[in-house]
């Protein structure tokens, strides 16, 4: 009987450790998802602003026509590369900016 209780206790501790790891992974994944949603929200707000103010749209179109198309493609490529780099380093940077968030989460539980 004592060995069965000991096995159950060990199993319980292993499961608790596993759930803690899964919880931390879920928190990290949700942070990255939240960052992506914030970017989408920003784009949506920009679209709504342009929709409400047609002069902004006209100004963007005129600027696009005035700047050489080759230069615009170059700027778009640079912006895309910068965004991809940010997506790669954002989780690390954000976790270093908020070092106490993990300990606060553990304190609440």
């Amino acid at each position: 009987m004592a060995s069965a209780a000991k096995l159950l206790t060990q199993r319980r501790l292993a499961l608790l450790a596993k759930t803690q790891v899964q919880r931390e992974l879920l928190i990290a994944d949700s942070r990255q998802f939240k960052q992506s949603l914030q970017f989408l929200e920003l784009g949506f707000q920009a679209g709504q602003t342009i929709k409400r103010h047609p002069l902004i749209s006209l100004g963007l179109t005129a600027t696009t026509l005035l700047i050489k198309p080759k230069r615009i493609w170059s700027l778009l490529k640079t912006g895309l590369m910068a965004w991809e780099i940010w997506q790669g380093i954002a989780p690390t940077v954000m976790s270093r900016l908020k070092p106490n968030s993990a300990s606060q989460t553990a304190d609440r539980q």
Side-chain angles (χ1 to χ4, degrees):
M1 280 296 235
S3 64
K6 189 176 181 179
L7 286 174
L8 285 174
T9 302
Q10 289 174 347
R11 176 74 174 143
R12 181 177 179 271
L13 291 174
L15 287 173
L16 287 173
K18 184 178 178 181
T19 57
Q20 181 62 32
V21 169
Q22 289 175 341
R23 188 176 297 122
E24 290 171 2
L25 288 173
L26 181 62
I27 289 170
D29 289 345
S30 65
R31 279 190 198 126
Q32 187 175 6
F33 185 67
K34 184 178 179 183
Q35 290 171 353
S36 296
L37 286 179
Q38 287 174 341
F39 180 72
L40 288 174
E41 179 67 27
L42 181 65
F44 180 73
Q45 289 173 354
Q48 291 297 320
T49 301
I50 290 172
K51 187 177 179 181
R52 281 182 295 208
H53 304 287
L55 288 177
I56 293 174
S57 178
L58 182 64
L60 288 174
T61 303
T63 302
T64 302
L65 293 174
L66 291 175
I67 297 175
K68 295 178 183 176
K70 192 175 191 179
R71 177 73 175 146
I72 289 176
W73 282 115
S74 173
L75 289 172
L76 288 174
K77 284 181 190 178
T78 304
L80 180 61
M81 285 190 323
W83 174 249
E84 289 173 350
I85 290 170
W86 172 249
Q87 287 295 310
I89 65 170
T92 305
V93 171
M94 297 308 278
S95 67
R96 289 181 190 256
L97 289 177
K98 298 181 183 179
N100 296 330
S101 63
S103 62
Q104 290 173 354
T105 304
D107 293 341
R108 283 188 235 142
Q109 296 174 358

